[in-house]
PDB file of all heavy atoms in Angstrom:
ATOM      1  N   TYR A  95     -66.354-123.494-131.586  1.00 98.00           N
ATOM      2  CA  TYR A  95     -67.741-123.404-132.084  1.00 98.00           C
ATOM      3  C   TYR A  95     -68.118-121.942-132.247  1.00 98.00           C
ATOM      4  O   TYR A  95     -67.537-121.030-131.628  1.00 98.00           O
ATOM      5  CB  TYR A  95     -68.697-124.017-131.085  1.00 98.00           C
ATOM      6  CG  TYR A  95     -68.323-125.430-130.655  1.00 98.00           C
ATOM      7  CD1 TYR A  95     -67.530-125.647-129.541  1.00 98.00           C
ATOM      8  CD2 TYR A  95     -68.684-126.527-131.434  1.00 98.00           C
ATOM      9  CE1 TYR A  95     -67.168-126.930-129.155  1.00 98.00           C
ATOM     10  CE2 TYR A  95     -68.333-127.806-131.070  1.00 98.00           C
ATOM     11  CZ  TYR A  95     -67.546-127.993-129.941  1.00 98.00           C
ATOM     12  OH  TYR A  95     -67.205-129.273-129.588  1.00 98.00           O
ATOM     13  N   LEU A  96     -69.132-121.693-133.091  1.00 98.00           N
ATOM     14  CA  LEU A  96     -69.684-120.406-133.218  1.00 98.00           C
ATOM     15  C   LEU A  96     -71.204-120.509-133.134  1.00 98.00           C
ATOM     16  O   LEU A  96     -71.835-121.075-134.047  1.00 98.00           O
ATOM     17  CB  LEU A  96     -69.304-119.710-134.561  1.00 98.00           C
ATOM     18  CG  LEU A  96     -69.770-118.280-134.731  1.00 98.00           C
ATOM     19  CD1 LEU A  96     -69.061-117.358-133.719  1.00 98.00           C
ATOM     20  CD2 LEU A  96     -69.535-117.821-136.153  1.00 98.00           C
ATOM     21  N   GLN A  97     -71.789-120.071-132.052  1.00 98.00           N
ATOM     22  CA  GLN A  97     -73.225-120.053-131.884  1.00 98.00           C
ATOM     23  C   GLN A  97     -73.760-118.762-132.456  1.00 98.00           C
ATOM     24  O   GLN A  97     -73.375-117.665-131.993  1.00 98.00           O
ATOM     25  CB  GLN A  97     -73.628-120.222-130.427  1.00 98.00           C
ATOM     26  CG  GLN A  97     -75.102-120.179-130.136  1.00 98.00           C
ATOM     27  CD  GLN A  97     -75.842-121.378-130.724  1.00 98.00           C
ATOM     28  OE1 GLN A  97     -75.363-122.516-130.631  1.00 98.00           O
ATOM     29  NE2 GLN A  97     -76.971-121.115-131.339  1.00 98.00           N
ATOM     30  N   MET A  98     -74.640-118.866-133.428  1.00 98.00           N
ATOM     31  CA  MET A  98     -75.184-117.689-134.076  1.00 98.00           C
ATOM     32  C   MET A  98     -76.668-117.594-133.824  1.00 98.00           C
ATOM     33  O   MET A  98     -77.438-118.484-134.249  1.00 98.00           O
ATOM     34  CB  MET A  98     -74.883-117.746-135.587  1.00 98.00           C
ATOM     35  CG  MET A  98     -73.419-117.929-135.942  1.00 98.00           C
ATOM     36  SD  MET A  98     -73.082-117.899-137.708  1.00 98.00           S
ATOM     37  CE  MET A  98     -73.870-119.398-138.232  1.00 98.00           C
ATOM     38  N   ASN A  99     -77.098-116.560-133.153  1.00 98.00           N
ATOM     39  CA  ASN A  99     -78.502-116.344-132.805  1.00 98.00           C
ATOM     40  C   ASN A  99     -78.992-115.072-133.477  1.00 98.00           C
ATOM     41  O   ASN A  99     -78.210-114.222-133.936  1.00 98.00           O
ATOM     42  CB  ASN A  99     -78.703-116.223-131.298  1.00 98.00           C
ATOM     43  CG  ASN A  99     -78.271-117.489-130.543  1.00 98.00           C
ATOM     44  OD1 ASN A  99     -78.434-118.612-131.086  1.00 98.00           O
ATOM     45  ND2 ASN A  99     -77.734-117.296-129.357  1.00 98.00           N
ATOM     46  N   SER A 100     -80.282-114.920-133.558  1.00 98.00           N
ATOM     47  CA  SER A 100     -80.918-113.716-134.126  1.00 98.00           C
ATOM     48  C   SER A 100     -80.291-113.384-135.502  1.00 98.00           C
ATOM     49  O   SER A 100     -79.931-112.268-135.756  1.00 98.00           O
ATOM     50  CB  SER A 100     -80.704-112.531-133.197  1.00 98.00           C
ATOM     51  OG  SER A 100     -81.314-112.816-131.925  1.00 98.00           O
ATOM     52  N   LEU A 101     -80.181-114.410-136.322  1.00 98.00           N
ATOM     53  CA  LEU A 101     -79.544-114.249-137.625  1.00 98.00           C
ATOM     54  C   LEU A 101     -80.322-113.289-138.546  1.00 98.00           C
ATOM     55  O   LEU A 101     -81.558-113.252-138.461  1.00 98.00           O
ATOM     56  CB  LEU A 101     -79.385-115.604-138.304  1.00 98.00           C
ATOM     57  CG  LEU A 101     -78.221-116.410-137.747  1.00 98.00           C
ATOM     58  CD1 LEU A 101     -78.380-117.900-138.055  1.00 98.00           C
ATOM     59  CD2 LEU A 101     -76.880-115.889-138.281  1.00 98.00           C
ATOM     60  N   LYS A 102     -79.559-112.547-139.329  1.00 98.00           N
ATOM     61  CA  LYS A 102     -80.123-111.561-140.249  1.00 98.00           C
ATOM     62  C   LYS A 102     -79.696-111.887-141.686  1.00 98.00           C
ATOM     63  O   LYS A 102     -78.660-112.582-141.843  1.00 98.00           O
ATOM     64  CB  LYS A 102     -79.582-110.187-139.891  1.00 98.00           C
ATOM     65  CG  LYS A 102     -79.829-109.736-138.463  1.00 98.00           C
ATOM     66  CD  LYS A 102     -79.152-108.394-138.197  1.00 98.00           C
ATOM     67  CE  LYS A 102     -79.342-107.958-136.763  1.00 98.00           C
ATOM     68  NZ  LYS A 102     -78.667-106.667-136.470  1.00 98.00           N
ATOM     69  N   PRO A 103     -80.418-111.431-142.662  1.00 97.00           N
ATOM     70  CA  PRO A 103     -80.007-111.704-144.052  1.00 97.00           C
ATOM     71  C   PRO A 103     -78.584-111.256-144.355  1.00 97.00           C
ATOM     72  O   PRO A 103     -77.866-111.906-145.145  1.00 97.00           O
ATOM     73  CB  PRO A 103     -81.062-110.925-144.849  1.00 97.00           C
ATOM     74  CG  PRO A 103     -82.265-110.903-144.002  1.00 97.00           C
ATOM     75  CD  PRO A 103     -81.752-110.774-142.598  1.00 97.00           C
ATOM     76  N   GLU A 104     -78.156-110.210-143.716  1.00 96.00           N
ATOM     77  CA  GLU A 104     -76.771-109.705-143.924  1.00 96.00           C
ATOM     78  C   GLU A 104     -75.712-110.612-143.329  1.00 96.00           C
ATOM     79  O   GLU A 104     -74.535-110.367-143.547  1.00 96.00           O
ATOM     80  CB  GLU A 104     -76.628-108.273-143.416  1.00 96.00           C
ATOM     81  CG  GLU A 104     -77.073-108.055-141.990  1.00 96.00           C
ATOM     82  CD  GLU A 104     -78.477-107.487-141.958  1.00 96.00           C
ATOM     83  OE1 GLU A 104     -79.374-107.972-142.681  1.00 96.00           O
ATOM     84  OE2 GLU A 104     -78.697-106.564-141.151  1.00 96.00           O
ATOM     85  N   ASP A 105     -76.108-111.620-142.590  1.00 98.00           N
ATOM     86  CA  ASP A 105     -75.155-112.629-142.084  1.00 98.00           C
ATOM     87  C   ASP A 105     -74.862-113.693-143.148  1.00 98.00           C
ATOM     88  O   ASP A 105     -74.028-114.525-142.918  1.00 98.00           O
ATOM     89  CB  ASP A 105     -75.699-113.279-140.804  1.00 98.00           C
ATOM     90  CG  ASP A 105     -75.784-112.290-139.631  1.00 98.00           C
ATOM     91  OD1 ASP A 105     -74.876-111.481-139.480  1.00 98.00           O
ATOM     92  OD2 ASP A 105     -76.801-112.351-138.913  1.00 98.00           O
ATOM     93  N   THR A 106     -75.620-113.694-144.206  1.00 98.00           N
ATOM     94  CA  THR A 106     -75.411-114.653-145.321  1.00 98.00           C
ATOM     95  C   THR A 106     -74.021-114.533-145.857  1.00 98.00           C
ATOM     96  O   THR A 106     -73.560-113.435-146.273  1.00 98.00           O
ATOM     97  CB  THR A 106     -76.437-114.430-146.427  1.00 98.00           C
ATOM     98  OG1 THR A 106     -77.748-114.714-145.912  1.00 98.00           O
ATOM     99  CG2 THR A 106     -76.129-115.361-147.599  1.00 98.00           C
ATOM    100  N   ALA A 107     -73.263-115.652-145.830  1.00 98.00           N
ATOM    101  CA  ALA A 107     -71.888-115.631-146.279  1.00 98.00           C
ATOM    102  C   ALA A 107     -71.324-117.093-146.189  1.00 98.00           C
ATOM    103  O   ALA A 107     -71.968-117.975-145.641  1.00 98.00           O
ATOM    104  CB  ALA A 107     -71.029-114.746-145.380  1.00 98.00           C
ATOM    105  N   VAL A 108     -70.142-117.238-146.728  1.00 98.00           N
ATOM    106  CA  VAL A 108     -69.369-118.460-146.458  1.00 98.00           C
ATOM    107  C   VAL A 108     -68.530-118.200-145.257  1.00 98.00           C
ATOM    108  O   VAL A 108     -67.789-117.200-145.203  1.00 98.00           O
ATOM    109  CB  VAL A 108     -68.488-118.849-147.671  1.00 98.00           C
ATOM    110  CG1 VAL A 108     -67.704-120.097-147.340  1.00 98.00           C
ATOM    111  CG2 VAL A 108     -69.355-119.080-148.908  1.00 98.00           C
ATOM    112  N   TYR A 109     -68.640-119.040-144.276  1.00 98.00           N
ATOM    113  CA  TYR A 109     -67.937-118.901-143.006  1.00 98.00           C
ATOM    114  C   TYR A 109     -66.711-119.836-142.991  1.00 98.00           C
ATOM    115  O   TYR A 109     -66.837-121.053-143.320  1.00 98.00           O
ATOM    116  CB  TYR A 109     -68.831-119.210-141.834  1.00 98.00           C
ATOM    117  CG  TYR A 109     -69.824-118.089-141.554  1.00 98.00           C
ATOM    118  CD1 TYR A 109     -70.853-117.816-142.453  1.00 98.00           C
ATOM    119  CD2 TYR A 109     -69.668-117.278-140.428  1.00 98.00           C
ATOM    120  CE1 TYR A 109     -71.739-116.783-142.195  1.00 98.00           C
ATOM    121  CE2 TYR A 109     -70.550-116.266-140.171  1.00 98.00           C
ATOM    122  CZ  TYR A 109     -71.556-115.976-141.045  1.00 98.00           C
ATOM    123  OH  TYR A 109     -72.447-114.927-140.826  1.00 98.00           O
ATOM    124  N   TYR A 110     -65.548-119.289-142.648  1.00 98.00           N
ATOM    125  CA  TYR A 110     -64.288-120.011-142.644  1.00 98.00           C
ATOM    126  C   TYR A 110     -63.708-120.079-141.252  1.00 98.00           C
ATOM    127  O   TYR A 110     -63.669-119.077-140.530  1.00 98.00           O
ATOM    128  CB  TYR A 110     -63.273-119.366-143.558  1.00 98.00           C
ATOM    129  CG  TYR A 110     -63.663-119.305-145.033  1.00 98.00           C
ATOM    130  CD1 TYR A 110     -64.371-118.237-145.545  1.00 98.00           C
ATOM    131  CD2 TYR A 110     -63.350-120.374-145.883  1.00 98.00           C
ATOM    132  CE1 TYR A 110     -64.769-118.173-146.853  1.00 98.00           C
ATOM    133  CE2 TYR A 110     -63.710-120.315-147.235  1.00 98.00           C
ATOM    134  CZ  TYR A 110     -64.420-119.206-147.701  1.00 98.00           C
ATOM    135  OH  TYR A 110     -64.789-119.154-149.037  1.00 98.00           O
ATOM    136  N   CYS A 111     -63.213-121.213-140.865  1.00 97.00           N
ATOM    137  CA  CYS A 111     -62.478-121.370-139.637  1.00 97.00           C
ATOM    138  C   CYS A 111     -60.998-121.077-139.936  1.00 97.00           C
ATOM    139  O   CYS A 111     -60.488-121.446-140.985  1.00 97.00           O
ATOM    140  CB  CYS A 111     -62.650-122.799-139.119  1.00 97.00           C
ATOM    141  SG  CYS A 111     -61.777-123.118-137.578  1.00 97.00           S
ATOM    142  N   ASN A 112     -60.363-120.426-138.955  1.00 97.00           N
ATOM    143  CA  ASN A 112     -58.952-120.062-139.111  1.00 97.00           C
ATOM    144  C   ASN A 112     -58.234-120.502-137.840  1.00 97.00           C
ATOM    145  O   ASN A 112     -58.727-120.383-136.752  1.00 97.00           O
ATOM    146  CB  ASN A 112     -58.795-118.601-139.330  1.00 97.00           C
ATOM    147  CG  ASN A 112     -57.355-118.126-139.193  1.00 97.00           C
ATOM    148  OD1 ASN A 112     -56.922-117.724-138.144  1.00 97.00           O
ATOM    149  ND2 ASN A 112     -56.662-118.166-140.290  1.00 97.00           N
ATOM    150  N   ALA A 113     -56.994-120.962-138.024  1.00 96.00           N
ATOM    151  CA  ALA A 113     -56.101-121.288-136.924  1.00 96.00           C
ATOM    152  C   ALA A 113     -54.736-120.620-137.160  1.00 96.00           C
ATOM    153  O   ALA A 113     -54.229-120.675-138.308  1.00 96.00           O
ATOM    154  CB  ALA A 113     -55.922-122.756-136.759  1.00 96.00           C
ATOM    155  N   TYR A 114     -54.248-119.954-136.145  1.00 94.00           N
ATOM    156  CA  TYR A 114     -52.930-119.303-136.274  1.00 94.00           C
ATOM    157  C   TYR A 114     -51.938-120.040-135.349  1.00 94.00           C
ATOM    158  O   TYR A 114     -52.155-120.161-134.182  1.00 94.00           O
ATOM    159  CB  TYR A 114     -53.009-117.819-135.888  1.00 94.00           C
ATOM    160  CG  TYR A 114     -51.652-117.138-136.009  1.00 94.00           C
ATOM    161  CD1 TYR A 114     -51.142-116.887-137.255  1.00 94.00           C
ATOM    162  CD2 TYR A 114     -50.962-116.831-134.887  1.00 94.00           C
ATOM    163  CE1 TYR A 114     -49.898-116.254-137.377  1.00 94.00           C
ATOM    164  CE2 TYR A 114     -49.708-116.231-134.990  1.00 94.00           C
ATOM    165  CZ  TYR A 114     -49.211-115.928-136.218  1.00 94.00           C
ATOM    166  OH  TYR A 114     -47.974-115.342-136.362  1.00 94.00           O
ATOM    167  N   TRP A 115     -50.827-120.459-136.006  1.00 91.00           N
ATOM    168  CA  TRP A 115     -49.794-121.218-135.257  1.00 91.00           C
ATOM    169  C   TRP A 115     -48.420-120.745-135.689  1.00 91.00           C
ATOM    170  O   TRP A 115     -47.475-121.564-135.713  1.00 91.00           O
ATOM    171  CB  TRP A 115     -49.997-122.713-135.500  1.00 91.00           C
ATOM    172  CG  TRP A 115     -50.270-123.088-136.894  1.00 91.00           C
ATOM    173  CD1 TRP A 115     -51.420-122.995-137.559  1.00 91.00           C
ATOM    174  CD2 TRP A 115     -49.301-123.604-137.856  1.00 91.00           C
ATOM    175  NE1 TRP A 115     -51.283-123.446-138.882  1.00 91.00           N
ATOM    176  CE2 TRP A 115     -49.985-123.796-139.075  1.00 91.00           C
ATOM    177  CE3 TRP A 115     -47.927-123.939-137.785  1.00 91.00           C
ATOM    178  CZ2 TRP A 115     -49.350-124.340-140.201  1.00 91.00           C
ATOM    179  CZ3 TRP A 115     -47.315-124.458-138.901  1.00 91.00           C
ATOM    180  CH2 TRP A 115     -48.050-124.645-140.105  1.00 91.00           C
ATOM    181  N   GLY A 116     -48.347-119.452-136.056  1.00 91.00           N
ATOM    182  CA  GLY A 116     -47.163-118.915-136.690  1.00 91.00           C
ATOM    183  C   GLY A 116     -47.387-118.732-138.142  1.00 91.00           C
ATOM    184  O   GLY A 116     -46.895-117.808-138.790  1.00 91.00           O
ATOM    185  N   LEU A 117     -48.194-119.571-138.702  1.00 93.00           N
ATOM    186  CA  LEU A 117     -48.777-119.479-140.022  1.00 93.00           C
ATOM    187  C   LEU A 117     -50.279-119.604-139.877  1.00 93.00           C
ATOM    188  O   LEU A 117     -50.802-120.011-138.852  1.00 93.00           O
ATOM    189  CB  LEU A 117     -48.235-120.561-140.921  1.00 93.00           C
ATOM    190  CG  LEU A 117     -46.727-120.563-141.221  1.00 93.00           C
ATOM    191  CD1 LEU A 117     -46.298-121.752-142.015  1.00 93.00           C
ATOM    192  CD2 LEU A 117     -46.321-119.255-141.965  1.00 93.00           C
ATOM    193  N   ASP A 118     -51.003-119.282-140.946  1.00 94.00           N
ATOM    194  CA  ASP A 118     -52.457-119.445-140.977  1.00 94.00           C
ATOM    195  C   ASP A 118     -52.857-120.695-141.673  1.00 94.00           C
ATOM    196  O   ASP A 118     -52.344-121.066-142.716  1.00 94.00           O
ATOM    197  CB  ASP A 118     -53.078-118.243-141.681  1.00 94.00           C
ATOM    198  CG  ASP A 118     -53.130-116.994-140.856  1.00 94.00           C
ATOM    199  OD1 ASP A 118     -53.702-117.071-139.770  1.00 94.00           O
ATOM    200  OD2 ASP A 118     -52.566-115.967-141.273  1.00 94.00           O
TER     201      ASP A 118
END
């Protein structure tokens, strides 16, 4: 999970989850 508090306009983006297991 990602808890995001005190959000700012500069936090605007597409957020991607990543997992590394030898490959991404």
